[in-house]
Amino acid sequence: KAGVTQTPRYLIKTRGQQVTLSCSPISGHRSVSWYQQTPGQGLQFLFEYFSETQRNKGNFPGRFSGRQFSNSRSEMNVSTLELGDSALYLCASSHEGGVGEKLFFGSGTQLSVL
Amino acid sequence: AQSVAQPEDQVNVAEGNPLTVKCTYSVSGNPYLFWYVQYPNRGLQFLLKYITGDNLVKGSYGFEAEFNKSQTSFHLKKPSALVSDSALYFCAVRVPSGTYKYIFGTGTRLKVLA
């Protein structure tokens, strides 16, 4: 079974641009969540999607948005990039997103904003 | 506010010695507790979880964790450390009510010295 796949692996953008990150969950998983990882801050929850609906949302500005498609693949979009958006963005999937379920993570997209 | 604390940014231990990575939490309700490990340039991998029952939980790669409700702690332990255990370790909590969001600690870097 293929794991969680995130593309691209690396991105370099400049301030003010926008970016779209992609995540393909494990086959059969319907819950996809996104996290921002920065040194010293750990993992910050961005949002979770289940069956094409955003079920949970973290404390990030509206520049961060996402969506999920009918095949459970998910995209995350960041508009008007700021230097502080430089981070590793991780996607994770699970069957139903149940409270006791473990998450399966992708290798992440390393975003650098110049 | 609900939170998870990993008080040590880094833990150094000699190979063959026991290791402990500390985690404390502050949540309302009964927590679901998790440990994940991150190797360089990889996403997080699940190690173990506590849902209910025996306070000592055994997980992957010989790791175990002890849930202590009175001290609100969930420390990760291993009897004999390996150099290959060197990685970044994250404690996480989910509360089985409300939004079910994952709350992650800031991570502890474990260095096992040969």
Side-chain angles (χ1 to χ4, degrees), chain B:
Chain B
Q2 308 192 84
S3 63
V4 174
Q6 293 182 244
E8 300 155 318
D9 290 336
Q10 182 162 316
V11 170
N12 295 327
V13 63
E15 188 175 31
N17 283 3
L19 69 87
T20 298
V21 182
K22 295 179 180 177
C23 172
T24 59
Y25 62 90
S26 174
V27 299
S28 54
N30 294 319
Y32 287 20
L33 296 156
F34 300 78
W35 275 101
Y36 288 84
V37 59
Q38 185 178 34
Y39 297 101
N41 301 314
R42 302 287 299 277
L44 279 68
Q45 296 177 34
F46 170 80
L47 275 179
L48 49 79
K49 66 179 177 181
Y50 172 82
I51 303 298
T52 187
D54 193 348
N55 289 343
L56 186 64
V57 178
K58 293 189 185 297
S60 307
Y61 312 121
F63 284 93
E64 58 188 29
E66 186 166 13
F67 172 64
N68 188 315
K69 188 171 184 178
S70 63
Q71 296 187 5
T72 61
S73 68
F74 189 56
H75 300 332
L76 181 69
K77 300 181 180 186
K78 188 174 182 183
S80 179
L82 299 172
V83 171
S84 57
D85 293 330
S86 298
L88 188 56
Y89 291 80
F90 288 95
C91 180
V93 64
R94 296 188 90 180
V95 181
S97 64
T99 61
Y100 300 101
K101 286 190 288 190
Y102 259 92
I103 303 170
F104 281 86
T106 51
T108 297
R109 186 163 300 280
L110 173 67
K111 275 196 168 182
V112 182
L113 308 170

Side-chain angles (χ1 to χ4, degrees), chain A residues 29-74:
Chain A
H29 285 190
R30 294 198 290 162
S31 169
V32 174
S33 51
W34 289 88
Y35 296 83
Q36 181 193 66
Q37 183 180 6
T38 54
Q41 292 290 319
L43 272 73
Q44 303 292 316
F45 172 76
L46 282 153
F47 26 66
E48 184 218 1
Y49 286 87
F50 180 80
S51 293
E52 301 180 67
T53 300
Q54 187 181 84
R55 190 160 64 175
N56 287 304
K57 190 177 188 305
N59 298 322
F60 278 81
R63 300 185 296 107
F64 291 81
S65 63
R67 58 178 176 169
Q68 187 181 33
F69 302 95
S70 59
N71 61 358
S72 292
R73 191 177 72 85
S74 178

